[in-house]
Amino acid sequence: MLEFNKLLFERYAELRFTDPGEESEESSKKIIIKNNTLDFDAKVTRDASENLNKATINMYNLPKEYEQKIYLGSKVEILGGYYTEKKEDVESKDYGLLFKGEVRKIASSKNGNTIRTEIQCSENAETFKGTLFQVSIKSKQVKASDIINKIAEKC
């Protein structure tokens, strides 16, 4: 279905999973899954309250090599957008980051020949959940950068 959508609507989607201890972009533990290589869907739920944003990813017939590298605590990024026009036989993409967080729960179920792996994720900003602070500035004329710096000091 996603391949059909890509062809019809030029949609692009990508999942990135990284080991929590890895910072390198070239890590051997990094997994990149694109919508033309594996059938998946993702739902991102954003929350304006103090609750963390969440994402649910469903992957269908996930290869064993990927299954073994995705576990609780893995970093996850969801990117999405559209393919754009080809320039000099190079396909460019117009996409952006939709979600960044950590894997919180993994469950698999089988329906006939299809194995669905559901991955539930949430933002990894646990330290900020429910945290409130006040910043006061006594000057009547203040630069926006001064306010931002004061807020950053509290974080």
Side-chain angles (χ1 to χ4, degrees):
M1 186 173 98
L2 287 172
E3 187 64 26
F4 174 77
N5 284 338
K6 178 198 171 291
L7 295 172
L8 185 61
F9 300 110
E10 300 297 322
R11 292 184 181 169
Y12 177 81
E14 182 177 304
L15 303 173
R16 295 178 183 171
F17 294 93
T18 312
D19 185 75
E22 292 290 321
E23 297 297 325
S24 169
E25 285 293 317
E26 302 300 321
S27 171
S28 62
K29 296 180 181 179
K30 186 173 191 173
I31 299 170
I32 298 176
I33 301 170
K34 298 180 182 180
N35 62 322
N36 61 352
T37 60
L38 184 71
D39 193 14
F40 68 86
D41 60 69
K43 178 182 177 184
V44 177
T45 306
R46 301 195 186 281
D47 195 334
S49 72
E50 68 181 30
N51 296 322
L52 299 173
N53 294 329
K54 295 180 178 147
T56 302
I57 302 166
N58 291 301
M59 293 187 278
Y60 302 92
N61 298 322
L62 182 66
K64 289 280 185 206
E65 65 183 89
Y66 290 167
E67 190 177 316
Q68 294 170 351
K69 293 181 179 180
I70 300 171
Y71 50 88
L72 298 180
S74 294
K75 294 179 185 177
V76 61
E77 294 179 345
I78 302 172
L79 295 96
Y82 295 91
Y83 285 97
T84 57
E85 63 188 57
K86 289 184 180 182
K87 295 180 182 176
E88 299 177 15
D89 294 329
V90 176
E91 196 168 308
S92 61
K93 300 174 200 82
D94 182 17
Y95 64 88
L97 183 66
L98 302 174
F99 179 83
K100 185 173 184 174
E102 293 180 357
V103 174
R104 301 291 185 197
K105 183 178 178 184
I106 302 172
S108 294
S109 61
K110 188 171 182 174
N111 184 3
N113 290 332
T114 303
I115 299 172
R116 179 177 67 96
T117 303
E118 180 181 276
I119 300 176
Q120 294 180 11
C121 312
S122 68
E123 288 180 326
N124 52 0
E126 292 287 344
T127 55
F128 297 111
K129 185 177 178 182
T131 303
L132 298 176
F133 56 86
Q134 286 185 325
V135 174
S136 63
I137 298 174
K138 295 182 173 57
S139 175
K140 291 189 180 203
Q141 290 185 332
V142 64
K143 292 189 248 176
S145 61
D146 292 338
I147 296 171
I148 292 169
N149 288 335
K150 287 243 185 217
I151 293 170
E153 288 172 10
K154 299 283 187 175
C155 296

